[in-house]
Amino acid sequence: MIIPVVDVQGNNFKELWAAIVIAIKTSSFIAIDTELSGLGSRKALLAEYKAICHAARTRSILSLGFACYKKLDNKADSTYLVQVYNLTLLCSEEYIIEPQSVQFLVQHGFDFNKQYAEGIPYCKGNDKGGDSHGVNMRSLFVELLRANKPLVVHNGLIDMVFLYQCFYAHLPDRLGTFIADLSQMFPSGIYDTKYATEYELRFTASYLEYAYKKCKLENSKAIAGGGSGSHVFLEFCKYTGNMQSYIDYRPCLDNQNQDGALNICVQFSAYGWCPNGSQCSMSHDTDLIIQHDEKIREDKRKKRKRKNKKKGSQGLSETCGSPQGKRSHFEEAEPDQAVPMSEPVLPEHQEKTASSEPTDAKHAFEPGKTASENVNEESQPEASSEAPDRPKEKKAEGGTHRAGFDAFMTGYIFAYAKNLTENTEESGTAFLIPACLNKLFLSGKSVPLHVAKSTFSKSSKAHVHKMEYVWGKSTAVNPEGTA
């Protein structure tokens, strides 16, 4: 696949405004990702909401990715029209930018000259004057709320806190108040693909690039196998004329059938980052990591099969059932394949922090590299695309690591998980993946953060006023600090 990502900045924001709003309003769900100027202390972030608030109030969002997935009812299987936008932003207020964060982003192709020259300006906190009117980021966020679409994130608690502070209102001091506000801002639900990957799909690892490529591989296998049930296909808009100059084509290539010894970096394989970064002598290739995991899984399956046959010959086959607690489509999964919960602090957000370690990204390609003409003409189903010969390239950390492309990967994981749920459960619920509804993954915790208003929590005053503006009427909420 080659993914067209629309680059949006100050000099074309007004021109593309209508297209972005239409994409949001007509979508079935929207995936979002951010690039941040830093996060501060990792240990504090892991333990306290106040620390995340402090980071959001003192740092900024450098870029914001939207991936709008629209399910095409007139197409077979689960076919989506996907529109991906990468917005380069510039906070108009003072903010902290951490040197290691700069180093990491530059290493992955982020253009700070472009950001300071053409970034879309915005102010944080509560509305100031006419901030909620006109063509600006706060108005775009209002359009997102009014669209009332399911919102999809990956390890998204920090994303949600930053979005609230940067484009909505001043963050409340209490977590309960923030959660109460969030539950009313997105009534169609928030879905975290990090949580879905760990607790529903149960992949060996759950960092973004691994989860995306694993879903893509499983979907391709299902299509090739001709099994029953629907599969995920993607289509993209055909961009012509002046729009072509705004498109950044992102190659999404796979390493196929690579034999020989796989010198996989264990640290990167498990968590999607390595302290040695690009200096690591071991492979950080996610395709090879997945092949390695698949081989281990197959070896375990064969070993278990031989063991069951041996027991069967001794008349003990009745004791060899499938592992308890596993879902039907994970019958072959070993219990020890679950990702350990004692992973490093916030590994999914290393790309947003002052860390130079990589996480959820594909192998780097040169910025601005475009696709061939035939790809620009029409988008093709995801599984039918054959990658061209892989170009020779130096070892690069992660890959695209753009907010827009990361949002695309997040949306694809959700589309695959949703399709899998529909194939295995005939549910008439209005929610897309009921088991993952309003559950945000918490790093190092065995339970998610539930986005549901508590009977003991009140909404913030700023949120109440904002909701009145968004919906044009009073909302049935009790402001924080009022009777």
Side-chain angles (χ1 to χ4, degrees):
M1 280 195 300
I2 297 181
I3 315 303
V5 179
V6 183
D7 262 329
V8 186
Q9 53 242 358
N11 60 2
N12 65 1
F13 190 32
K14 289 184 178 180
E15 179 183 350
L16 297 174
W17 173 268
I20 298 173
V21 172
I22 291 173
I24 290 173
K25 289 183 176 181
T26 59
S27 64
S28 301
F29 64 85
I30 300 167
I32 282 183
D33 189 80
T34 63
E35 299 286 358
L36 310 176
S37 67
L39 282 174
S41 170
R42 309 301 180 273
K43 290 184 178 180
L45 289 171
L46 187 65
E48 295 184 8
Y49 165 73
K50 289 185 178 179
I52 303 177
C53 283
H54 177 72
R57 290 167 181 165
T58 56
R59 277 79 172 172
S60 71
I61 297 177
L62 303 181
S63 66
L64 174 66
F66 278 95
C68 300
Y69 280 69
K70 178 183 179 181
K71 190 169 184 178
L72 302 177
D73 296 328
N74 60 336
K75 295 293 182 77
D77 295 288
S78 293
T79 302
Y80 292 90
L81 175 65
V82 185
Q83 298 181 65
V84 185
Y85 294 91
N86 190 89
L87 285 72
T88 301
L89 309 179
L90 181 63
C91 182
S92 300
E93 304 168 355
E94 291 185 357
Y95 62 91
I96 295 172
I97 183 163
E98 300 169 17
Q100 287 181 319
S101 180
V102 173
Q103 183 182 24
F104 176 82
L105 291 171
V106 169
Q107 182 181 358
H108 289 86
F110 189 88
D111 189 343
F112 280 93
N113 288 331
K114 176 181 175 181
Q115 185 215 3
Y116 282 96
E118 303 175 356
I120 302 168
Y122 70 92
C123 293
K124 298 189 292 184
N126 295 331
D127 292 341
K128 301 172 180 66
D131 282 350
S132 294
H133 303 276
V135 178
N136 56 57
M137 287 306 302
R138 300 183 83 85
S139 295
L140 185 62
F141 195 72
V142 167
E143 294 293 344
L144 175 66
L145 298 179
R146 285 175 175 165
N148 192 18
K149 303 294 182 179
L151 189 70
V152 184
V153 292
H154 189 86
N155 201 12
L157 175 59
I158 291 177
D159 289 313
M160 300 311 301
V161 173
F162 268 80
L163 288 171
Y164 190 109
Q165 175 67 23
C166 290
F167 309 131
Y168 189 69
H170 189 73
L171 280 163
D173 294 329
R174 297 178 63 251
L175 176 61
T177 305
F178 172 71
I179 293 301
D181 292 356
L182 208 59
S183 66
Q184 293 181 330
M185 291 165 63
F186 298 97
S188 290
I190 300 172
Y191 297 85
D192 193 330
T193 54
K194 174 81 169 177
Y195 177 83
T197 301
E198 291 223 2
Y199 294 100
E200 291 300 311
L201 300 177
R202 294 186 180 274
F203 290 162
T204 305
S206 60
Y207 53 94
L208 182 57
E209 185 188 356
Y210 184 101
Y212 162 68
K213 291 200 165 185
K214 178 68 172 176
C215 289
K216 188 164 171 281
L217 175 64
E218 294 298 323
N219 187 63
S220 298
K221 284 182 177 180
I223 295 172
S228 60
S230 63
H231 310 100
V232 177
F233 293 88
L234 303 183
E235 294 185 2
F236 302 95
C237 291
K238 181 172 71 173
Y239 297 102
T240 59
N242 192 46
M243 277 293 296
Q244 291 193 39
S245 63
Y246 304 146
I247 308 302
D248 180 15
Y249 290 96
R250 288 280 156 176
C252 184
L253 307 179
D254 298 322
N255 282 329
Q256 300 291 344
N257 302 321
Q258 296 208 10
D259 300 322
L262 302 179
N263 297 317
I264 301 297
C265 174
V266 176
Q267 178 82 7
F268 189 90
S269 174
Y271 305 121
W273 70 275
C274 170
N276 297 323
S278 59
Q279 304 303 315
C280 182
S281 60
M282 310 296 280
S283 175
H284 291 179
D285 191 312
T286 312
D287 293 301
L288 297 182
I289 291 170
I290 292 176
Q291 290 180 31
H292 179 68
D293 291 344
E294 290 288 302
K295 184 178 184 300
I296 291 176
R297 178 177 176 177
E298 180 62 18
D299 290 345
K300 287 183 178 181
R301 188 189 69 81
K302 291 179 178 179
K303 182 178 179 181
R304 185 166 59 250
K305 186 176 181 180
R306 289 195 298 268
K307 186 177 180 181
N308 289 346
K309 283 185 177 180
K310 183 178 180 181
K311 286 186 177 182
S313 65
Q314 299 173 356
L316 299 176
S317 60
E318 68 276 5
T319 64
C320 300
S322 60
Q324 292 184 354
K326 293 294 180 183
R327 292 166 174 77
S328 59
H329 53 286
F330 295 114
E331 287 178 347
E332 296 181 355
E334 290 283 359
D336 60 359
Q337 285 184 318
V339 177
M341 293 307 298
S342 57
E343 58 183 326
V345 177
L346 302 170
E348 299 297 336
H349 280 272
Q350 293 298 325
E351 74 271 21
K352 304 166 188 172
T353 69
S355 169
S356 60
E357 294 90 6
T359 57
D360 318 326
K362 185 75 179 79
H363 296 280
F365 291 87
E366 296 177 4
K369 187 175 181 181
T370 59
S372 59
E373 285 295 324
N374 63 331
V375 175
N376 183 47
E377 290 179 2
E378 190 62 53
S379 53
Q380 62 271 30
E382 177 271 328
S384 65
S385 304
E386 293 186 3
D389 293 337
R390 190 178 185 82
K392 292 183 179 180
E393 50 188 291
K394 295 188 293 184
K395 178 176 178 181
E397 284 314 302
T400 58
H401 248 308
R402 302 278 310 274
F405 190 81
D406 286 356
F408 162 76
M409 291 194 290
T410 300
Y412 186 90
I413 298 168
F414 183 76
Y416 174 80
K418 174 181 176 295
N419 185 68
L420 196 62
T421 301
E422 292 173 348
N423 286 341
T424 56
E425 302 176 12
E426 296 199 359
S427 172
T429 178
F431 296 107
L432 304 183
I433 308 178
C436 300
L437 174 64
N438 289 333
K439 295 178 181 178
L440 292 176
F441 183 85
L442 293 176
S443 297
K445 308 295 182 182
S446 59
V447 294
L449 176 65
H450 289 266
V451 181
K453 184 178 180 180
S454 167
T455 55
F456 303 101
S457 297
K458 297 179 180 180
S459 299
S460 65
K461 289 182 179 180
H463 166 71
V464 174
H465 294 152
K466 193 79 175 187
M467 282 288 98
E468 290 176 354
Y469 169 74
V470 170
W471 300 113
K473 58 182 179 180
S474 298
T475 54
V477 293
N478 295 318
E480 183 182 25
T482 63

